[in-house]
Amino acid sequence: MKLKSLISLANPFKAHYIKEKLNLFGKYLEFSFDFQDCNSIEQTASFLHDKIIDCAVIDAKNCLDFKLDFLDWFFVNLYENIDFDLLISNQANKEKIGVVTNSQWLYCKKRFNNATISFIKEFKSIDQLLADYSTVMLPGYVAYDSKYEFYTEKINIADIQKSSFEGFACVEFRKNDERFTLLRQFFIKSVYFIGAGVGSLKYATQEAIHTIKNVEVCLFDNLMDHALLDFLPDDAILVDVGKRCEHHKLNQSKITDLISTYARMGFRVGRLKGGDPSIFGRLAEEIKVLEDLKINFNIVPGISTINALSIKSGIILTRREVNRGFCVLSAIKHKGAAAEFSKSELSGLPLVFFMGVKVVGKISSSLISEGYLPQTKVAVVFSIGSDKEFTVRGTLSDIASKVNSIMDHLFFDNPPGIFIIGEISNFYYKRAGLLQDKRILLPMPLDDKLYFGFKDTLANPLTYDLDIKYNINSEILGKIIAYDAIAVSYVKIAQALIEAFFEQKKDIRMLPKIITQSDDVLNLFSQYGLRSVIDIETISNLNVCILYNHVCCDDFVKALLKKNQVSEIKLKSHIYKQNKLQTFDMIYFNDLDQYYDFVYTYGANCLKDKIILLKNISDLKEISPQIKNPFCMFDKTNFKSSVANLIKNL
């Protein structure tokens, strides 16, 4: 299917790579784009309204000027996972420089004040550009495809002072066009409704703090401990949307608009609410907007005032032989008016029974005899908060038979549950993430980029850990220290190496140069003030030792052998038995050592019918003859492309 699109982008490289990216993901959805260049963005809205085109691609900075009721949109960020621009030269002098953005022009003017600097007007290959210029400065997302070797320098984005949304484009389309709401899933993340807990920071959950550390935009309330904001990333955008009685910084419609706007810009949005977001938190209204736009969201529960009431007051809301339960209501009506209550209103409130699974039938019969209608909507929710949670819905007249029929087929005994009576039980979320409810096992230590990447797709990331003890005795450590450099690709080996230094009371600064292709290894060594080299091309004329356990990565060895002398040390290990694995659909391995350790610990049978995700294509070649599982290369630096490839293979 061909989709008609107008594209209005002044930067020829942005236009080229936006087209490439949209067609890449469109391919997985079985459509492609017919792009027509357009100089006037004013035309795009009318063409969309009249259904002359299916979508328009414009500069992100112009997007919000054209907010019309019939339009929907999302941003494409070409700088996602890229923090540099490229300065490419074919000669020492830099007399004539070509650039594509204003920020690049200003940077080059300041650094090369005697050079002639001009804008590149059309997309060309590197070779063609360097026939016209002595030097070119290109966006970091440009693919380096030259057959020649040129001098290349990476310029950090922070040094260039880019304007907002310089590497972004906006895709506009008609509201409720399912082709584009599905395509948008590849370019956005998720909104997280986070319970901040009540009163003090100490009542925030671990999951809440973990999530706060990984959001990019945070809309926060007044009624919470603002010390939680200290956990946000340094570059996070903070928006104060706090509301107190009769004093609202922003009205509710503006807050929901901000949430959906930031989400469509591609940010991971955190909506930080005091207490628990689902109790008197206007959560239903904020979710409704996201449901209508088909934007993903996750909920992180929090400790509510009700939970913390007894800590100092001494008031315990349930006491045997005093009361079986309690009623919780808002004292404020819609638009802030003080609420008056009647018995009829109280009798219409939903009922929630704890510990009621075995007596659902008796409770239902009793309520019907007390005047409840047999067709009253009800639900029983089992194993809340676990990966086995599920819901049974029905009415007072049929819920008992539904629960009994399911209980007979459950694979685990007597799951706990709560019984909810009332119209509210008929409401539930409508979500459709790319990997909706897929259970994915991830290795410890947890990689937040992977964890939240999967959460953004509405998958259910779970974790596994392997307790491995490597034998790095004084003899082996002495050999390691004697090399010019060591290469480590498995974080467990890196941990064992550091532990060996401490156990044998040796100065960790005696470690030779460290080479790795693993972010986990890089981050671990950096915690101890040790720098690692990731760019293998910069390593030459060294005597390098590769530390491994099961297999040594062939590509890693070949890359090092080009310019170095390479030896290998195979470490012996002992793996201690782990806890039982959670039920899963897919499993991710960083490398082959992790795969073999897992199989050694749990056995190959536990991988039967599971999808195996591996970081490196060379690893896939190594194990593919040995296993019959479906497997997929999964590169976290190109997360959404990997997800698209995974969906294709599901």
Side-chain angles (χ1 to χ4, degrees), residues 269-482:
V269 181
R271 175 68 175 100
L272 191 55
K273 296 170 175 281
D276 182 274
S278 65
I279 300 176
F280 303 129
R282 311 282 297 261
L283 181 62
E285 295 159 70
E286 294 175 1
I287 279 177
K288 178 66 167 63
V289 173
L290 301 180
E291 283 182 324
D292 291 345
L293 292 169
K294 294 183 171 60
I295 292 174
N296 297 341
F297 58 90
N298 285 274
I299 297 172
V300 180
I303 293 176
S304 173
T305 306
I306 296 168
N307 305 116
L309 174 63
S310 64
I311 295 173
K312 290 185 178 179
S313 71
I315 299 172
I316 300 170
L317 289 173
T318 58
R319 284 182 179 272
R320 278 184 178 271
E321 300 180 0
V322 176
N323 62 308
R324 292 174 56 192
F326 53 90
C327 184
V328 180
L329 307 107
S330 168
I332 305 297
K333 280 188 174 180
H334 183 53
K335 296 184 179 179
E340 296 177 356
F341 296 97
S342 63
K343 284 186 177 180
S344 61
E345 184 180 4
L346 290 173
S347 64
L349 291 173
L351 300 176
V352 180
F353 288 91
F354 281 64
M355 301 170 286
V357 172
K358 291 187 175 180
V359 288
V360 163
K362 290 182 178 179
I363 294 171
S364 300
S365 299
S366 176
L367 290 172
I368 291 171
S369 66
E370 289 294 322
Y372 277 76
L373 297 175
Q375 61 268 33
T376 300
K377 301 290 185 183
V378 300
V380 183
V381 187
F382 293 90
S383 303
I384 293 174
S386 76
D387 64 318
K388 298 174 181 176
E389 179 177 328
F390 67 99
T391 303
V392 179
R393 289 184 169 84
T395 63
L396 281 176
S397 61
D398 64 13
I399 191 66
S401 61
K402 286 185 175 182
V403 168
N404 289 336
S405 64
I406 286 177
M407 294 290 281
D408 291 340
H409 298 90
L410 287 178
F411 55 87
F412 54 99
D413 296 328
N414 299 322
I418 62 172
F419 185 21
I420 304 164
I421 293 94
E423 191 62 29
I424 201 71
S425 67
N426 199 38
F427 290 86
Y428 51 93
Y429 311 134
K430 301 176 182 69
R431 304 190 299 174
L434 293 171
L435 295 174
Q436 178 91 25
D437 297 329
K438 294 293 182 185
R439 296 162 296 189
I440 303 173
L441 268 186
L442 302 177
M444 293 293 287
L446 191 60
D447 182 321
D448 283 348
K449 193 164 190 172
L450 270 177
Y451 179 80
F452 282 98
F454 282 120
K455 290 271 285 187
D456 290 339
T457 66
L458 300 188
N460 180 16
L462 310 167
T463 60
Y464 69 93
D465 198 4
L466 299 171
D467 187 6
I468 305 170
K469 180 68 176 176
Y470 288 99
N471 179 27
I472 303 179
N473 55 33
S474 58
E475 181 185 350
I476 293 173
L477 201 58
K479 289 180 180 179
I480 290 169
I481 292 170

Side-chain angles (χ1 to χ4, degrees), residues 124 132 179 198 278 288 380 503 505 532 603 630 636 641:
K124 292 181 179 180
D132 300 333
R179 298 169 300 182
V198 59
S278 65
K288 178 66 167 63
V380 183
E503 287 170 3
K505 298 182 179 178
S532 305
K636 67 183 178 185
S641 298

Side-chain angles (χ1 to χ4, degrees), residues 67 191 193 219 241 243 250-264 269 271 273 281-290 293 295:
K67 290 180 69 175
V191 176
F193 294 97
L219 291 82
V241 295
K243 293 186 287 187
L250 297 172
N251 62 36
Q252 187 60 42
S253 63
K254 181 62 176 174
I255 293 171
T256 54
D257 186 51
L258 279 173
I259 293 169
S260 65
T261 296
Y262 280 120
R264 285 180 283 188
V269 181
R271 175 68 175 100
K273 296 170 175 281
R282 311 282 297 261
L283 181 62
E285 295 159 70
E286 294 175 1
I287 279 177
K288 178 66 167 63
V289 173
L290 301 180
L293 292 169
I295 292 174

